[in-house]
Amino acid sequence: SDGHNAHDEL
Amino acid sequence: MTLFRLAGDLSHVLAILLLLYKIWTTKSAAGISGKTQLMFCMVYVTRYLDLFTSFISVYNSTMKVLFISASVATVYLIYFKFKATYDGNHDTFRMEFVIVPALILALIWNYAFTFFEISWAFSIFLEAVAILPQLFMVTKTGEAENITSHYLFALGSYRALYILNWIDRYYFEGHWDPIAVTAGIVQTVLYGDFFYLYFTRVIKGRKLQVLP
């Protein structure tokens, strides 16, 4: 993932 | 998903359920800041706008729905169902003093100047300071019920555990989220005084009293 934009955390 | 993040999320869920349990069983919102809960509502709504557009996992979506619905339910209990028990005279923190700066900062510091990313950054910054009305209320009333102290402990621990998660992810995955980490550190530091009182008083079975 490109890090930031994939906000995978709540 | 690191263990720290799972522990953090579970601590967060525990806090939310503890608060609902306290208000529902005592049928009272005494000692609870409605303003903090209103801001938590804003935090979840502005952060989880992608609930229907991006699917990460069943766990992720389930938690988002839980956080939004539980915070709406909490606000409903405080401002409607048990309105008579809401202690507005001690819940005097000016929300605009944290909402406006969070919005301005989100317009300046974000990962993309898009509605979604600005909304997400606003949510992260707001969450860091949303607990202030509650902490002010505890100092104003001079004490907090035990279950309210446990609620605050679980809530403060959740983002502290996330910090360990971020260290873990940086060490093993080599990247980190500057906005979330900065805000998460501020958020956890704000609980510092409360954590001290919690460990020196509540743990020893005494009521949490803010020394006059």
Side-chain angles (χ1 to χ4, degrees):
Chain A
S1 72
D2 60 347
H4 301 311
N5 294 329
H7 296 300
D8 62 347
E9 295 181 343
L10 290 170
Chain B
M1 167 69 83
T2 67
L3 209 58
F4 297 120
R5 183 145 68 98
L6 180 60
D9 289 341
L10 295 180
S11 182
H12 193 184
V13 169
L14 175 64
I16 288 175
L17 297 182
L18 262 178
L19 182 59
L20 278 172
Y21 174 80
K22 175 252 185 282
I23 297 175
W24 187 256
T25 53
T26 65
K27 300 215 174 312
S28 164
I32 301 300
S33 164
K35 296 184 173 182
T36 283
Q37 299 311 317
L38 272 174
M39 287 200 280
F40 278 142
C41 243
M42 291 170 70
V43 165
Y44 300 131
V45 168
T46 54
R47 186 172 309 178
Y48 302 146
L49 295 175
D50 63 344
L51 177 60
F52 302 109
T53 56
S54 82
F55 178 78
I56 304 247
S57 67
V58 172
Y59 172 84
N60 185 272
S61 299
T62 308
M63 294 298 243
K64 287 176 177 176
V65 169
L66 173 65
F67 291 162
I68 292 174
S69 48
S71 71
V72 168
T74 304
V75 165
Y76 167 75
L77 291 182
I78 294 171
Y79 284 105
F80 296 92
K81 191 153 181 63
F82 302 122
K83 180 181 174 60
T85 65
Y86 168 55
D87 183 8
N89 299 323
H90 287 112
D91 193 10
T92 54
F93 189 92
R94 301 289 300 278
M95 288 192 288
E96 52 273 30
F97 287 171
V98 290
I99 293 175
V100 173
L103 186 56
I104 293 170
L105 187 56
L107 288 167
I108 297 165
W109 190 17
N110 51 60
Y111 292 132
F113 202 77
T114 63
F115 178 75
F116 175 74
E117 286 298 331
I118 290 169
S119 177
W120 181 85
F122 167 71
S123 161
I124 292 287
F125 297 135
L126 184 61
E127 186 190 2
V129 291
I131 199 61
L132 283 176
Q134 181 64 63
L135 295 178
F136 270 56
M137 190 172 194
V138 170
T139 50
K140 216 174 170 87
T141 52
E143 63 178 8
E145 288 174 41
N146 266 357
I147 191 156
T148 306
S149 311
H150 299 316
Y151 157 70
L152 285 170
F153 177 69
L155 195 61
S157 306
Y158 126 71
R159 216 63 180 172
L161 287 162
Y162 256 71
I163 293 173
L164 298 180
N165 155 65
W166 290 324
I167 294 169
D168 188 300
R169 290 192 81 172
Y170 181 72
Y171 186 76
F172 289 108
E173 297 172 27
H175 80 81
W176 64 305
D177 185 331
I179 289 179
V181 171
T182 309
I185 289 170
V186 168
Q187 181 169 337
T188 304
V189 165
L190 289 177
Y191 281 85
D193 177 43
F194 165 77
F195 279 141
Y196 171 76
L197 287 171
Y198 186 81
F199 285 116
T200 57
R201 300 186 69 83
V202 179
I203 290 296
K204 295 189 174 111
R206 285 179 293 169
K207 200 174 177 59
L208 183 129
Q209 251 132 19
V210 180
L211 307 176

Coordinates of all heavy atoms in Angstrom, one line a residue, chain B residues 69 103 162 173:
Chain B
S69 N -21.9 3.7 16.1 CA -23.2 3.5 16.7 C -23.1 3.6 18.2 O -24.0 4.2 18.8 CB -23.7 2.1 16.4 OG -22.7 1.1 16.6
L103 N -9.5 21.8 12.8 CA -9.9 22.0 11.4 C -8.9 22.8 10.6 O -8.5 22.4 9.5 CB -11.3 22.7 11.3 CG -11.9 22.9 9.9 CD1 -12.1 21.5 9.3 CD2 -13.3 23.5 10.0
Y162 N -1.5 2.0 20.9 CA -1.3 2.3 19.4 C 0.1 2.8 19.2 O 0.7 2.5 18.2 CB -2.3 3.3 18.9 CG -3.4 2.6 18.1 CD1 -4.4 1.8 18.7 CD2 -3.5 2.8 16.7 CE1 -5.4 1.2 17.9 CE2 -4.5 2.2 15.9 CZ -5.4 1.4 16.5 OH -6.4 0.8 15.8
E173 N 8.0 -2.7 9.5 CA 7.5 -2.4 8.1 C 8.2 -1.2 7.6 O 8.1 -0.9 6.4 CB 6.0 -2.2 8.2 CG 5.2 -3.4 8.6 CD 3.7 -3.0 8.8 OE1 3.3 -2.1 8.2 OE2 3.1 -3.7 9.6

